[in-house]
Amino acid sequence: MGSNDNLIDDVKSFLHKLFTIKDLGSAKYFLGIEIAHSSTGILLSQTKYINDIIQDAGLIDATTVANPMTHSIILSEPGLPLTDPFVYRRLIGRLLYLQFTRPDLTFVTQQLSQYMQTPCDHHLKAVLHVLRYLKGTSHFGLLYPSSSDLNIVTAYCDANWGKCKETRRSITGYCIFLGSSLISWKTKKQNTVSRSSAEVEYRSMATTSCELKWIQYILGDLGVHIKLPITMHCDSKSVITLAQNPVSHDITKHVDIDYHLIREHVANGFIQTPYIFTTQQLADLFTKSISLEHMAPALSKMNFVDISPVSS
């Protein structure tokens, strides 16, 4: 990659002398990811990959659903073990690969992947529900606008306290933007059980700040220097107060390392932590199953767009 065509040509010539290469031009399809270039920006999608999954699962004629996760199925409940768990594991593996362009699948895939060891019938039913959702949204993808500001990084972090009913561990979720482009997102179960919602939110903030530090290093290697402080949006006033207050609190002895990590990043001007309303918290998408009414606006802000061809 680069902005100097002459230097790019020099690299190609150098590589061609070492071993034969062929210039295929601008990338259009790579490892199941479809790439469309335009003056607006770059569109990434996996429509063909999704259609292949649906065909293999025998769901071509299945009805579609509006949400990737159904609330009628409780994953933690006991069920009838599958006679061939490989089918379930293969579908989960394919859903994991879809997350490269489908942030809407991140939470549900994280939940379903916890049962790969001993999947049951209702787990497979939940996966098939996801495929029916994909059937109706196969032409969606991520847009990376050409007008995006490469010097501004913004983050959203959130947590769902005690979400896992089996272990009572909480879920961390975050999403990070470079300008208006979504470049990093994640759903992850926390490593320990937390005693308060403030504690889990603080751990989520620490995880996000580590990702931001890594992104800063990567962008620096590419010659992109981001503006500091980075805005990290949080919907917990108590956690924001804790991050900005150098005085120790009772909670800090439970999250001592995370506390000092966040305090250091705030104090040296690496991040700032303004409060936002829960309704504006984009990271909600990565910590819980939300309604279509709230999911659609969040995905729209992530430049998750419908790229289906317009009928004449």
Side-chain angles (χ1 to χ4, degrees):
M1 65 181 69
S3 57
N4 189 314
D5 291 338
N6 292 328
L7 288 177
I8 292 177
D9 290 337
D10 290 343
V11 172
K12 292 178 182 177
S13 298
F14 172 74
L15 292 174
H16 188 67
K17 291 177 182 178
L18 299 178
F19 47 86
T20 303
I21 64 172
K22 184 178 181 181
D23 187 353
L24 300 177
S26 298
K28 295 181 180 179
Y29 191 82
F30 182 73
L31 296 178
I33 299 176
E34 297 159 53
I35 307 166
H37 301 261
S38 71
S39 58
T40 305
I42 297 175
L43 268 168
L44 301 182
S45 64
Q46 291 171 280
T47 302
K48 182 182 182 303
Y49 187 71
I50 291 173
N51 290 334
D52 288 344
I53 297 174
I54 293 171
Q55 183 173 3
D56 290 346
L59 296 176
I60 294 179
D61 297 324
T63 56
T64 61
V65 292
N67 199 296
M69 195 167 188
T70 172
H71 295 282
S72 62
I73 297 177
I74 302 176
L75 299 177
S76 58
E77 285 188 344
L80 183 65
L82 296 178
T83 55
D84 184 10
F86 174 77
V87 175
Y88 180 83
R89 293 166 186 164
R90 185 168 185 265
L91 287 173
I92 293 297
R94 303 182 84 170
L95 289 180
L96 286 169
Y97 190 69
L98 275 176
Q99 291 182 76
F100 282 117
T101 62
R102 299 295 301 246
D104 54 331
L105 299 181
T106 304
F107 175 74
V108 64
T109 304
Q110 184 274 335
Q111 293 287 292
L112 292 170
S113 63
Q114 298 178 87
Y115 304 96
M116 290 181 68
Q117 188 66 30
T118 53
C120 296
D121 56 339
H122 61 297
H123 298 142
L124 180 59
K125 184 178 179 181
V127 172
L128 296 179
H129 181 93
V130 177
L131 297 187
R132 290 168 59 201
Y133 166 76
L134 284 171
K135 183 176 183 291
T137 60
S138 61
H139 286 92
F140 277 75
L142 282 175
L143 171 66
Y144 291 86
S146 55
S147 59
S148 186
D149 192 332
L150 297 182
N151 299 113
I152 298 179
V153 173
T154 310
Y156 294 80
C157 66
D158 199 13
N160 194 339
W161 184 29
K163 172 64 180 179
C164 180
K165 293 185 178 181
E166 296 174 327
T167 64
R168 283 305 175 186
R169 294 183 185 179
S170 305
I171 301 294
T172 285
Y174 65 75
C175 56
I176 299 172
F177 294 81
L178 178 60
S180 58
S181 300
L182 181 66
I183 60 171
S184 180
W185 59 94
K186 193 169 190 175
T187 296
K188 183 180 180 180
K189 185 190 291 186
Q190 296 186 2
N191 295 327
T192 59
V193 177
S194 299
R195 297 174 59 185
S196 68
S197 59
E199 186 176 335
V200 301
E201 294 274 6
Y202 210 80
R203 293 188 190 279
S204 175
M205 188 180 287
T207 300
T208 309
S209 68
C210 290
E211 180 74 1
L212 288 171
K213 205 67 182 177
W214 178 78
I215 287 174
Q216 183 190 36
Y217 293 146
I218 293 295
L219 291 176
D221 288 342
L222 296 174
V224 178
H225 302 286
I226 60 177
K227 296 179 181 178
L228 300 179
I230 295 172
T231 299
M232 184 193 298
H233 295 289
C234 178
D235 59 6
S236 173
K237 291 183 178 179
S238 60
V239 171
I240 292 173
T241 301
L242 187 63
Q244 298 172 348
N245 190 348
V247 179
S248 296
H249 296 262
D250 289 340
I251 190 178
T252 60
K253 62 185 177 183
H254 302 296
V255 289
D256 190 56
I257 295 177
D258 291 336
Y259 171 72
H260 286 90
L261 175 69
I262 296 297
R263 279 291 310 134
E264 181 180 284
H265 286 337
V266 172
N268 64 20
F270 178 65
I271 61 172
Q272 59 181 357
T273 55
Y275 173 77
I276 60 169
F277 294 107
T278 301
T279 53
Q280 300 172 317
Q281 177 57 275
L282 301 185
D284 254 2
L285 183 67
F286 305 104
T287 63
K288 60 177 74 72
S289 177
I290 60 178
S291 65
L292 182 64
E293 179 185 359
H294 293 96
M295 183 172 66
L299 289 172
S300 177
K301 291 178 181 178
M302 296 177 188
N303 289 317
F304 186 67
V305 297
D306 187 351
I307 57 174
S308 55
V310 180
S311 59
S312 56

